Amino acid sequence: MGPTNMFKIIWTLFFTVAAGDYLDAEDECQESGCTMSMLQLGAQKVLPRSDAPAQAQPKTSSYVRPKNHVDLHSSTFPEQKKCQEPPCSGQVHVQLGGPGEMVVSFVSQQVSTKSRVRYGKGELNLEALGKTETYSQLMFWRADLWEPPIRGGYGLEQEIVAKDMSTSDWAFDPRTGWKYPSWREIGVQQVDHDKMGWYKNPSERYDSPAIHTVVLTALQPGVTYMYQVENDDRTFEFTMPPDGQKYPYRVGLTGDIGQTPVSNSSMHLLSGLKPEVVLLTGDLSYADGFYPRWDSFGIMFEPLGAKIPVMTCPGNHEYGSAEAFKSYNVRYPMPFTQSGSTDPNFWSRDIGPMHVVSLNSYASSKPGSFQYTWLERDFKDFNREKTPWLVVMMHAPWYNSNLGHYGEAKVMLENMEVLFFQHGVNIVLAGHVHSFERTWPVYKNKTSSCGPVYINIGDGGNREGPYSHWLPFVNAFDSWSAFRQGAFGIGELEIMNASHSLFTWKRNACFDHGEVTFDAANCSSEGDNSKTSLVPEDMSWIVRSGKCQNQNMNQT
């Protein structure tokens, strides 16, 4: 089978599974072992990278952002058509609210669609109403929007971007030819220099669909509920996570997702784990100011998010490129007020045997700041007897031996590491670096049996590819870096009891000699100089030691 035909099969599988009917996809998995298995086991090198020069995109350090590799075009995501009054509602997903609450989010294009969810244990005999929000933002034009390096990238033709940025087709008097002060004509050669959208031009404005947020209350732990959102005939299910120390307790882990075929397969693999909850360490859609990408991401995300609560923290791609957290906060609301936070981007919640704390890498972390003061209070208030495991997630990693984004969280580390150690944080989850790394328990840059284990899982499949260039193994890093690999994958945390958790990472795909391959068992990413570059799986016990006073004191 030639590469071209294999490429067509991969795309066909993506369109069928990523955005097709949710229930049909589930039935197909049961009948045929799921078409995603072919995507995973094809063992074919597909989606080659272009020879086009990379676009330099300086960020917060000397790091240079790679070119767009394999993003999927927004127009290829099929429209949801199962409803009474098209256009139908869609982009359905759930997240935990306060105790006994599940928050259902969905979008609609119709002004008349209510923020309503019908739900129940065995029948749809209950109803909840919520709130509706819309917003408008200026586009943030980026070079990789109009210069996709491979076919199938989501890029626009440069001529189309220039036309959208121009006002010359309307900003004039047709009777006299007089040009209004808002008149401008952008040529192809000027596109790269204008960047931000122009407020005078409606063609550069994004108007969101109606975003509905409905809170279901008085739900029972461990109980499965079926539900339907307004103007959507499909029926979904979710199970409320058990409360307290119910073991084993399975948690899915991912970060830096994006919208590539690898991203899509990661979503389905996480769904296949059947976790109680998924923790996502930021960088969801990679819209980067081209806001329609939030809608296409919502479609791709639905097969996972509609049935498993996914709890998130913000990343730099929710913050930069004029995003300013707006699309993220409206579409993925987290339970910040319930945890006493003043900011939707840092929050905490008891989830089974875990007390999960989510921080914002892009807010002040110094002592006396709102985030630090809230965190200090939250650490003091959580009950170790009720939730023996203290888990923190954030976007930018504190301990990272990859050249990508190295040292960007140094200030936050210096401000908060002592606080983490004093209160016995067990596990710290991060993303940002598009590779996988697990440390031994570490504190102050040295291994410490009473310090947290740091797990960097920014390998969900985004367009920039895995980071494979690691710092040399020297004593400073060899002492705490336990496993590292420049590849895509997903993580799973099985909390077995109050003292032992089993962590597993499985490779999903590689950039093997510059090409994406789903032969996860046999691939390696080009340039990966780690000793574990060929190992397809990492498995390790994480132990909460009885000898560590900071991890055992009862904080009430």
Side-chain angles (χ1 to χ4, degrees):
M1 180 183 296
T4 301
N5 290 332
M6 189 62 191
F7 181 86
K8 291 179 179 178
I9 289 175
I10 294 294
W11 278 85
T12 301
L13 293 177
F14 176 81
F15 301 147
T16 300
V17 180
D21 178 68
Y22 175 85
L23 296 179
D24 289 348
E26 290 295 302
D27 293 341
E28 188 173 14
C29 285
Q30 294 173 2
E31 293 173 4
S32 66
C34 191
T35 54
M36 288 306 298
S37 62
M38 187 172 183
L39 187 66
Q40 295 298 313
L41 301 175
Q44 296 285 337
K45 295 178 181 179
V46 296
L47 306 175
R49 294 195 292 191
S50 168
D51 293 330
Q55 296 290 335
Q57 301 285 342
K59 291 296 174 184
T60 55
S61 68
S62 59
Y63 167 73
V64 177
R65 189 164 300 287
K67 56 192 174 185
N68 175 352
H69 287 299
V70 291
D71 251 1
L72 298 165
H73 197 287
S74 302
S75 64
T76 61
F77 292 86
E79 183 182 357
Q80 203 283 100
K81 296 183 178 180
K82 289 194 173 184
C83 68
Q84 301 300 314
E85 300 179 37
C88 306
S89 300
Q91 302 180 42
V92 182
H93 60 275
V94 297
Q95 47 263 313
L96 298 172
E101 295 180 349
M102 187 70 80
V103 181
V104 180
S105 297
F106 66 100
V107 309
S108 68
Q109 297 291 343
Q110 291 200 25
V111 175
S112 60
T113 301
K114 296 180 179 179
S115 294
R116 178 163 56 187
V117 173
R118 296 177 175 87
Y119 68 104
K121 295 180 183 179
E123 56 182 333
L124 303 175
N125 59 341
L126 300 173
E127 181 179 295
L129 299 175
K131 65 178 183 178
T132 304
E133 186 171 351
T134 61
Y135 63 95
S136 300
Q137 282 188 286
L138 288 172
M139 297 290 190
F140 189 94
W141 299 108
R142 294 170 54 99
D144 56 7
L145 290 174
W146 54 82
E147 292 187 0
I150 65 168
R151 61 180 174 176
Y154 76 86
L156 305 171
E157 294 181 12
Q158 199 161 358
E159 291 80 3
I160 294 176
V161 177
K163 185 176 184 300
D164 284 347
M165 298 179 77
S166 299
T167 62
S168 53
D169 62 343
W170 59 267
F172 64 94
D173 187 334
R175 296 170 300 173
T176 64
W178 178 69
K179 299 175 182 177
Y180 300 163
S182 57
W183 188 94
R184 71 172 183 175
E185 187 170 15
I186 300 295
V188 171
Q189 73 281 358
Q190 296 174 275
V191 168
D192 192 28
H193 304 291
D194 280 82
K195 300 295 184 186
M196 188 66 182
W198 195 35
Y199 75 93
K200 299 178 182 179
N201 186 0
S203 295
E204 296 186 77
R205 181 185 67 223
Y206 169 76
D207 294 320
S208 77
I211 301 167
H212 306 275
T213 305
V214 182
V215 181
L216 311 185
T217 61
L219 303 179
Q220 299 173 8
V223 174
T224 298
Y225 294 85
M226 55 194 302
Y227 71 101
Q228 282 185 342
V229 304
E230 187 80 353
N231 198 32
D232 186 343
D233 291 345
R234 300 173 299 170
T235 301
F236 301 96
E237 287 186 349
F238 65 80
T239 301
M240 281 298 291
D243 285 344
Q245 299 188 45
K246 304 292 185 181
Y247 302 109
Y249 200 92
R250 181 174 288 116
V251 182
L253 306 174
T254 190
D256 297 73
I257 300 172
Q259 303 180 53
T260 71
V262 183
S263 313
N264 176 67
S265 66
S266 293
M267 296 299 93
H268 284 270
L269 288 171
L270 284 165
S271 179
L273 294 177
K274 301 187 184 303
E276 307 288 353
V277 66
V278 170
L279 301 181
L280 197 167
T281 60
D283 281 3
L284 283 69
S285 72
Y286 281 76
D288 295 328
F290 188 62
Y291 305 106
R293 296 295 289 170
W294 280 102
D295 296 306
S296 54
F297 176 82
I299 299 172
M300 186 199 76
F301 182 71
E302 186 178 85
L304 170 67
K307 64 180 181 180
I308 307 294
V310 179
M311 307 303 289
T312 65
C313 69
N316 58 297
H317 286 268
E318 281 75 59
Y319 178 47
S321 300
E323 289 280 349
F325 304 125
K326 179 62 179 180
S327 295
Y328 166 71
N329 284 335
V330 175
R331 295 168 186 262
Y332 298 91
M334 293 293 111
F336 73 101
T337 56
Q338 296 92 326
S339 57
S341 170
T342 56
D343 190 316
N345 294 313
F346 49 87
W347 55 270
S348 70
R349 192 188 194 279
D350 290 345
I351 304 177
M354 304 180 294
H355 182 69
V356 177
V357 176
S358 177
L359 299 179
N360 183 3
S361 297
Y362 306 100
S364 177
S365 60
K366 64 182 180 180
S369 66
F370 288 105
Q371 183 169 218
Y372 185 98
T373 301
W374 168 83
L375 177 63
E376 189 173 36
R377 182 176 64 249
D378 187 84
F379 277 171
K380 289 179 179 178
D381 289 345
F382 99 94
N383 188 336
R384 181 75 76 171
E385 289 186 350
K386 179 182 177 182
T387 53
W389 292 89
L390 180 54
V391 178
V392 177
M393 69 174 177
M394 64 187 78
H395 186 61
W398 289 0
Y399 284 92
N400 160 42
S401 64
N402 193 289
L403 288 174
H405 296 304
Y406 183 76
E408 288 186 14
K410 180 182 179 181
V411 172
M412 193 177 188
L413 167 68
E414 292 175 345
N415 286 334
M416 291 182 164
E417 186 177 23
V418 172
L419 193 63
F420 275 36
F421 187 81
Q422 287 175 343
H423 292 276
V425 173
N426 302 110
I427 300 171
V428 179
L429 306 171
H432 201 38
V433 176
H434 304 154
S435 293
F436 167 67
E437 184 167 21
R438 173 180 57 83
T439 75
W440 302 112
V442 60
Y443 178 59
K444 296 280 188 175
N445 206 40
K446 296 180 180 179
T447 56
S448 168
S449 60
C450 298
V453 171
Y454 290 80
I455 300 174
N456 298 339
I457 47 172
D459 55 349
N462 76 87
R463 66 173 178 260
E464 296 172 4
Y467 297 175
S468 57
H469 299 293
W470 301 92
L471 295 171
F473 270 97
V474 294
N475 290 337
F477 299 107
D478 196 27
S479 62
W480 53 253
S481 184
F483 189 105
R484 56 187 190 172
Q485 188 175 127
F488 292 125
I490 62 167
E492 177 184 13
L493 183 69
E494 289 186 273
I495 304 177
M496 298 302 187
N497 52 45
S499 61
H500 287 73
S501 290
L502 180 62
F503 170 77
T504 305
W505 174 83
K506 292 185 179 181
R507 186 165 61 206
N508 182 10
C510 304
F511 268 25
D512 194 356
H513 299 92
E515 300 175 329
V516 173
T517 173
F518 289 96
D519 183 16
N522 302 299
C523 66
S524 64
S525 294
E526 180 182 19
D528 189 342
N529 61 346
S530 67
K531 295 179 181 178
T532 49
S533 62
L534 299 177
V535 183
E537 180 176 295
D538 175 40
M539 184 178 292
S540 175
W541 286 100
I542 299 175
V543 179
R544 192 171 69 86
S545 174
K547 297 180 180 180
C548 297
Q549 181 63 26
N550 62 338
Q551 296 183 10
N552 287 279
M553 56 185 175
N554 182 30
Q555 293 152 321
T556 57

